[in-house]
């Protein structure tokens, strides 16, 4: 029988701390977060308002430098002092989805999407072919030449998913992507995101306040008082808790 091997992590946090402020008024938002993310693994990140979810997601997305600790993406350690290499990592390896789709209002859906592909170094033909395929899969084909203002909120969030996946990133990060949507539309958006990320074997991390979404994910990460707790939801690891302090 083939031995079961643990997949290589694509994203690793080692001893990540983040504090804001200085002197007597230092707020320690993250206190030594150790985490590993493997390809195709979907995690949901929960915690009370102000607990540090966006802070952690911003560090994972190389948008914010940690006060202490290391972030490894693929087989390279992220150098938070090197702006151009950070931009390169973001363009090549990361896909972001925010609470509001943040599409450029004066450009058609196709143009909004094509920029991301070109920035990631894809050829025009590759962008075109991938757009055809993804627009079809996300049922957005009729929207291709429309402006963002001509789409519904749910359609705009589907475009945001497509934009995050277009350049085949190995890591997809979503900060409350369904907060502006009703439950049914939000659930459809998250299911599409999960389906697409699994298909692409990308690491997926989604922040949400909606506990009804939790059963959809492989792993639940909760933050409270700067401490992160993880709970796996796969049958074999059900109810296994790990706490980092
Ligand atoms: N740039 C900043 N300067 C100072 N403090 C900050 C900064 N960004 C965030 N904080 C503080 O860090 C803490 C965590 O903020 P963060 O935005 O990560 O919380 P969150 O869990 O995403 O909350 P929410 O659910 O409301 O979005 C908060 O107390 C916030 O005030
Ligand atoms: Mg937040």
């Amino acid at each position: 029988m083939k031995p079961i091997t643990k997949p290589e992590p694509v994203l690793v946090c080692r001893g990540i701390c983040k504090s804001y402020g200085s002197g007597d008024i230092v707020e320690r938002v993250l206190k030594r977060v150790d985490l590993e993310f493997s390809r195709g693994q979907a995690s949901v990140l929960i915690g009370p308002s102000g607990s540090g979810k966006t802070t952690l997601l911003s560090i994972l997305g190389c948008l914010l430098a940690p006060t202490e600790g290391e972030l490894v993406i693929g087989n390279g350690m992220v150098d938070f002092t090197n702006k151009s290499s950070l931009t390169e990592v973001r363009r090549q390896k990361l896909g972001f989805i925010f609470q509001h789709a943040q599409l450029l209002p004066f450009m058609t859906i196709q143009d909004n999407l094509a920029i991301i592909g070109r920035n990631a170094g894809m050829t025009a033909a590759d962008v075109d072919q991938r757009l055809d395929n993804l627009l079809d899969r996300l049922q957005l084909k009729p929207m291709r030449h429309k402006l963002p203002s001509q789409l519904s909120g749910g359609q705009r969030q589907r475009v945001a998913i497509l934009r995050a996946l277009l350049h085949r990133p190995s890591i997809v990060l979503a900060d409350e992507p369904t907060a502006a949507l009703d439950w049914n539309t939000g659930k459809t958006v998250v299911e599409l995101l999960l389906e697409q990320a699994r298909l692409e074997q990308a690491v997926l991390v989604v922040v949400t306040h909606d506990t009804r979404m939790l059963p959809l994910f492989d792993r639940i990460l909760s933050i409270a008082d700067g401490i992160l707790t993880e709970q796996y939801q796969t049958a074999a690891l059900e109810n296994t808790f790990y706490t980092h302090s």
Side-chain angles (χ1 to χ4, degrees), residues 20 27 29 48-55 176 209:
Y20 290 110
E27 185 187 1
V29 178
S49 180
S51 57
K53 302 178 298 296
T54 296
T55 301
E176 301 195 46
H209 280 283

Side-chain angles (χ1 to χ4, degrees), residues 52-153:
K53 302 178 298 296
T54 296
T55 301
L56 179 58
L57 213 68
S58 306
I59 294 172
L60 297 179
C62 305
L63 295 165
L64 182 71
T67 313
E68 273 176 58
E70 292 171 357
L71 182 71
V72 178
I73 294 184
N75 40 26
M77 177 136 41
V78 175
D79 177 0
F80 281 94
T81 62
N82 184 336
K83 284 226 161 69
S84 60
S85 85
L86 287 178
T87 306
E88 218 34 47
V89 172
R90 281 199 295 267
R91 282 182 173 173
Q92 303 286 342
K93 308 235 159 124
L94 291 153
F96 291 97
I97 303 158
F98 300 99
Q99 182 172 345
H100 297 282
Q102 296 179 333
L103 302 168
L104 297 171
F106 48 86
M107 280 188 179
T108 64
I109 298 308
Q110 161 151 308
D111 291 344
N112 261 284
L113 296 166
I115 298 174
I116 303 291
R118 283 204 292 271
N119 280 344
M122 292 168 73
T123 63
D126 191 15
V127 170
D128 220 44
Q129 199 176 30
R130 188 137 167 91
L131 266 184
D132 270 348
N133 181 293
L134 287 173
L135 284 166
D136 198 29
R137 277 199 288 178
L138 296 180
Q139 292 165 359
L140 287 166
K141 250 192 166 151
M143 307 296 151
R144 190 169 186 146
H145 301 292
K146 292 196 172 176
L147 292 169
S149 60
Q150 296 171 308
L151 273 58
S152 74

